[in-house]
Amino acid sequence: MDVDTGAGRGADRRKPGAADRRGLRAGLAVATVAAITTAAGAFVLGGQAAAAPTTLRAGAEAAGRYFGVAVGQGDLGNGTATNVAGSQFDMVTPENEMKWDTVEPNNGQFNFGPGDAIVNFATSHNERVRGHNLVWHSQLPGWVSSLSGSQVKSAMEAHITGEVSHYKGKIYAWDVVNEPFNEDGSFRQDVFYNAFGGGAQYIGDAIRTAHAADPDAKLYINDYNIEGTGSKSNAMYSLAQTLLAQGVPLSGIGFESHFIVGQIPSSLQANMQRFANLGLDVAITELDDRMPTPASSSNLQQQATDDANVVKACLAIARCPGVTQWNISDADSWVPGTFPGQGAATMFDTNYQPKPAFTAVLNALNGASVPPSSTSSSSQGANTVTVTNPGSQSGTVGTAIAGVQVLASDSASGQTLTYSASGLPAGLSISGGSGLISGTPTTAGTFPVTVTVTDTTGASGTAAFTWTISGGGSSGACHVQYDKTSEWPGGFTANVTVTNTGTNAITGWTTGFTFPGDQKITNAWNATTTQTGQTVAAANAPYNATIAPGANTSFGFQGTYATNDTNPTAFTLNGTPCS
Ligand code: XIL
């Protein structure tokens, strides 16, 4: 669930050659954006396509909102990327260019060139700018951490004053403090927390300092995993109450919204609304919705539903000024470099062509409903195949399902219908001849399923629904135990045991977790570890790739830390959360 907040990944997140590929396809991609957006407009107005907004920015503006995008300096040299960023959006967040390590790499030495380039791009396309960010434990140059407590205080204030003054009048809103909380709702005990003796103290001081430098900019606290209710969101809520009670000029809360497909919190709107009820603005600041790659069509459909639902939640809240997508397209997205095996997280594909999510979001902005996921049909070929949606389904690991019959009809008589399904929970299958889905689920989770029915002429129809499998005693079919085996000033060793609590053998595994502290793995055994910021992926060695049901395997590592060696508590196995 955690997002990587590690520094210095901007440069290496694109595959070699991606820029050349993008360049070649530039003309084609832009032409396709225009064609598809017109189609979406026609859907909304049923024949009055000319009146319906066909870009995200026009749709958002018509609804009194903005639609933003994160743009990095590398994107500015890519004509396809800038075409999309310059036409589809009306707010820009610099992806890395206003972070501390770029802006003030050495004490008192400011470097505004990269940030200025982003502001110039935005201004020349009549777009506003969200400033991101002023105070964050990550992408923080080493010199700050080596200061004494009182020096950290004055360095923080000088940094804020220097940066906010430089951009005075050019920034709609600042993320003044970024990601102040741990997953359990405690404050991250970073240099700022330690220097000021508490979270509310440094955050209040940072916001007051920013306000003094630009009284017209809106001032936000921004974090992830606060989108739904929970301990981290509750902690943000009580921080907001505390700051407001102290008269701190806090304007809003940024909900980053780095989502996993099919896992938008159902409490999103209600949760944002409770912050709005405090008199704060609430913005979606870094939307993406990731999935395993290559993306399946059912996941792309689920993403369309997810993104449209996020936009609808914002539209339903008077104090939600807009939504920002993190990165322009799947070609620029930070996701594949941060969550190995995951991607396809934005509304534009790697060729900058709009995906189903783009159309669904545009329709949501234009006031239309999300494309129906109930009964649907297609007029491919002369015939129409209509599939009756069986609705949401549920089941339990290890218990055979009663059998779900998918029903379909054809506009022509005498056709033989063939049934297929994608995205079914493991252990279930569909009969190609009858459309009966049966079997015994083996893995817990939420599965977006698409059933396709095809007739003899090739005409087809689909129905999409969600299948939720519970059981196995945990959210996933795995359990991970992390034990610190020794610790000394600046160093530690740890042992991690991975147990397969499911009923299927696991062949090939990657265990994921995020260090709450500033640990760095220096060498590992019985697994190959990759660390990005605080996020670690540990992949099996050739000799321990298979874990039989009920069995476990262990790996270990040695690491260093500067100030915080807190054990991680949340783990994934091959992307699925473990207990
Ligand atoms: C990410 C950038 O997209 C990457 O290029 C960089 O290497 C790391 O930071 N939360 C935030 C953003 O607030 O600043 C992060 O951006 C993504 C998570």
Side-chain angles (χ1 to χ4, degrees):
M1 237 354 145
D2 291 354
V3 299
D4 166 58
T5 54
R9 297 201 40 75
D12 63 357
R13 82 200 141 74
R14 294 185 178 92
K15 292 195 184 79
D20 311 43
R21 246 190 357 260
R22 286 194 298 264
L24 285 175
R25 302 196 196 235
L28 175 64
V30 174
T32 314
V33 170
I36 294 193
T37 55
T38 305
F43 172 77
V44 174
L45 288 185
Q48 300 164 39
T54 57
T55 61
L56 299 172
R57 75 181 280 171
E61 284 166 18
R65 318 296 162 123
Y66 64 78
F67 217 109
V69 63
V71 174
Q73 207 179 11
D75 300 320
L76 298 181
N78 172 354
T80 316
T82 51
N83 266 330
V84 175
S87 61
Q88 288 291 338
F89 301 95
D90 57 4
M91 182 75 78
V92 171
T93 303
E95 185 181 10
N96 292 300
E97 293 69 14
M98 291 188 186
K99 293 175 182 174
W100 196 318
D101 58 353
T102 297
V103 168
E104 197 186 1
N106 298 301
N107 197 348
Q109 185 189 97
F110 285 88
N111 164 37
F112 293 117
D116 290 353
I118 304 285
V119 172
N120 291 341
F121 170 79
T123 311
S124 66
H125 291 85
N126 203 15
E127 304 183 6
R128 292 183 291 168
V129 179
R130 285 196 89 257
H132 177 82
N133 57 61
L134 297 169
V135 179
W136 188 25
H137 73 278
S138 186
Q139 292 180 265
L140 183 67
W143 65 263
V144 180
S145 315
S146 62
L147 300 175
S148 71
S150 62
Q151 288 170 327
V152 168
K153 277 190 188 184
S154 46
M156 185 189 87
E157 290 169 358
H159 177 76
I160 294 171
T161 303
E163 183 163 1
V164 176
S165 306
H166 176 80
Y167 289 113
K168 185 174 186 314
K170 297 180 177 166
I171 302 290
Y172 159 71
W174 275 107
D175 289 329
V176 177
V177 174
N178 205 39
E179 303 182 346
F181 289 111
N182 294 315
E183 291 311 281
D184 64 0
S186 58
F187 280 106
R188 272 183 211 272
Q189 302 201 353
D190 60 14
V191 277
F192 306 107
Y193 177 98
N194 291 331
F196 282 78
Q201 284 89 314
Y202 88 84
I203 294 170
D205 189 83
I207 294 171
R208 287 186 198 277
T209 306
H211 184 69
D214 186 353
D216 296 329
K218 294 198 178 288
L219 304 175
Y220 276 65
I221 307 170
N222 189 51
D223 213 329
Y224 63 94
N225 284 352
I226 58 161
E227 295 80 11
T229 45
S231 39
K232 195 170 178 183
S233 165
N234 288 345
M236 181 68 92
Y237 185 78
S238 55
L239 171 65
Q241 286 180 309
T242 302
L243 294 173
L244 292 172
Q246 293 171 352
V248 172
L250 172 69
S251 323
I253 304 296
F255 298 78
E256 290 187 12
S257 304
H258 294 290
F259 290 128
I260 296 172
V261 74
Q263 296 185 25
I264 307 296
S266 55
S267 55
L268 175 71
Q269 184 181 323
N271 184 49
M272 290 177 73
Q273 184 66 57
R274 72 173 170 152
F275 285 90
N277 293 345
L278 294 176
L280 294 170
D281 286 352
V282 287
I284 303 285
T285 52
E286 303 183 12
L287 177 64
D288 51 27
D289 196 33
R290 63 185 183 267
M291 60 187 72
T293 49
S296 67
S297 60
S298 58
N299 274 341
L300 292 172
Q301 287 304 326
Q302 182 65 45
Q303 181 181 60
T305 305
D306 289 354
D307 285 352
N309 283 340
V310 172
V311 168
K312 285 180 184 177
C314 177
L315 293 175
I317 300 169
R319 295 205 65 132
C320 180
V323 175
T324 296
Q325 170 172 279
W326 203 249
N327 299 118
I328 303 167
S329 78
D330 294 346
D332 323 300
S333 171
W334 74 308
V335 168
T338 307
F339 305 93
Q342 309 273 313
T346 78
M347 291 181 279
F348 294 91
D349 70 17
T350 52
N351 295 318
Y352 294 86
Q353 302 198 22
K355 295 161 62 181
F358 171 86
T359 308
V361 164
L362 188 61
N363 288 339
L365 291 169
N366 289 345
S369 58
V370 188
S373 69
S374 55
T375 304
S376 66
S377 61
S378 151
S379 54
Q380 215 185 343
N383 300 338
T384 299
V385 180
T386 303
V387 187
T388 304
N389 195 305
S392 300
Q393 301 292 325
S394 56
T396 308
V397 169
T399 306
I401 59 164
V404 172
Q405 178 65 59
V406 178
L407 299 170
S409 61
D410 201 302
S411 58
S413 57
Q415 292 291 318
T416 303
L417 298 178
T418 307
Y419 298 78
S420 64
S422 64
L424 280 173
L428 302 187
S429 60
I430 188 166
S431 158
S434 72
L436 181 70
I437 301 174
S438 59
T440 303
T442 58
T443 309
T446 303
F447 302 88
V449 177
T450 302
V451 173
T452 302
V453 185
T454 310
D455 76 5
T456 320
T457 68
S460 65
T462 62
F465 55 97
T466 301
W467 210 313
T468 307
I469 305 294
S470 55
S474 75
S475 55
C478 47
H479 174 71
V480 173
Q481 173 75 33
Y482 181 105
D483 293 305
K484 201 178 293 172
T485 38
S486 62
E487 184 175 27
W488 58 94
F492 70 103
T493 57
N495 187 62
V496 181
T497 303
V498 182
T499 304
N500 177 0
T501 55
T503 50
N504 282 359
I506 294 167
T507 310
W509 49 267
T510 300
T511 302
F513 59 88
T514 299
F515 283 125
D518 56 2
Q519 298 99 327
K520 300 239 176 312
I521 296 177
T522 48
N523 69 301
W525 47 94
N526 297 336
T528 306
T529 58
T530 316
Q531 182 168 358
T532 304
Q534 294 160 287
T535 305
V536 176
N540 63 269
Y543 50 84
N544 62 10
T546 303
I547 314 176
N552 65 57
T553 192
S554 294
F555 62 93
F557 45 82
Q558 179 167 348
T560 59
Y561 70 96
T563 56
N564 184 347
D565 189 23
T566 307
N567 289 354
T569 52
F571 302 89
T572 59
L573 196 67
N574 296 336
T576 305
C578 300
S579 63

